[in-house]
């Protein structure tokens, strides 16, 4: 079963037991994280190849995915982002299911995507700050991660 099939199956059926529920939530965390990374790619209204490549690299690293699974997840995320109406549908799941360290990793990944093209657009900056607020990541941590990405 491909990653897309697993995501579709897990998100469309009620969980039968605790193990299935945990698998479903892990898939939801992956998808929501990928959606937020793809939001950064789209934020400046120009899908840059360097930003897309960085988003894929971050998804692969954070969730230990193969190239094919990361690409499939990114495709599903793109579709979800195009039809989403708010960031809350992604951040709510992540806030409930991620540790503080995982949230920081996601924000670091978002900064890396934003800086991948060599320029931080004001829309990218505003998006990342908004997501960090919704995830309750301390502003000092957000600025520290931004400085790291900026100097990378």
């Amino acid at each position: 079963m491909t990653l897309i099939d697993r995501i579709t199956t897990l998100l469309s059926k009620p969980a039968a037991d605790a193990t299935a529920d945990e698998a479903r939530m892990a898939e939801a965390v992956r998808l929501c994280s990928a959606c937020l990374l793809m939001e950064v790619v789209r934020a400046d209204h120009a899908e840059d190849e360097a930003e897309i490549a960085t988003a894929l690299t971050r998804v692969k690293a954070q969730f230990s995915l193969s190239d094919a699974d990361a690409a499939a997840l990114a495709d599903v995320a793109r579709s979800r982002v195009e039809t989403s109406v708010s960031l809350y549908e992604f951040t709510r799941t992540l806030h409930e299911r991620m540790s503080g360290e995982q949230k920081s990793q996601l924000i670091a990944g978002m900064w890396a995507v934003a800086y991948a093209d060599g320029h931080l657009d004001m829309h990218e900056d505003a998006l990342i700050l908004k997501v960090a607020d919704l995830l309750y990541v301390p502003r000092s941590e957000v600025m520290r991660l931004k400085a790291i990405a900026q100097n990378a």
Side-chain angles (χ1 to χ4, degrees), residues 11-26:
L11 295 179
S12 65
K13 290 197 271 187
D17 58 37
T19 303
D21 190 43
E22 278 302 312
R24 180 182 172 139
M25 292 312 300

Side-chain angles (χ1 to χ4, degrees), residues 3 9 23-24 44 53 76-77 87 121 147 152:
L3 179 65
T9 301
R24 180 182 172 139
D44 60 2
V76 173
L87 296 172
D121 181 83

Side-chain angles (χ1 to χ4, degrees), residues 112-133:
V113 170
Y115 280 107
D117 63 356
H119 170 73
L120 177 64
D121 181 83
M122 68 179 184
H123 300 293
E124 293 167 332
D125 188 55
L127 172 69
I128 297 168
L129 294 175
K130 179 68 173 174
V131 168
D133 286 344

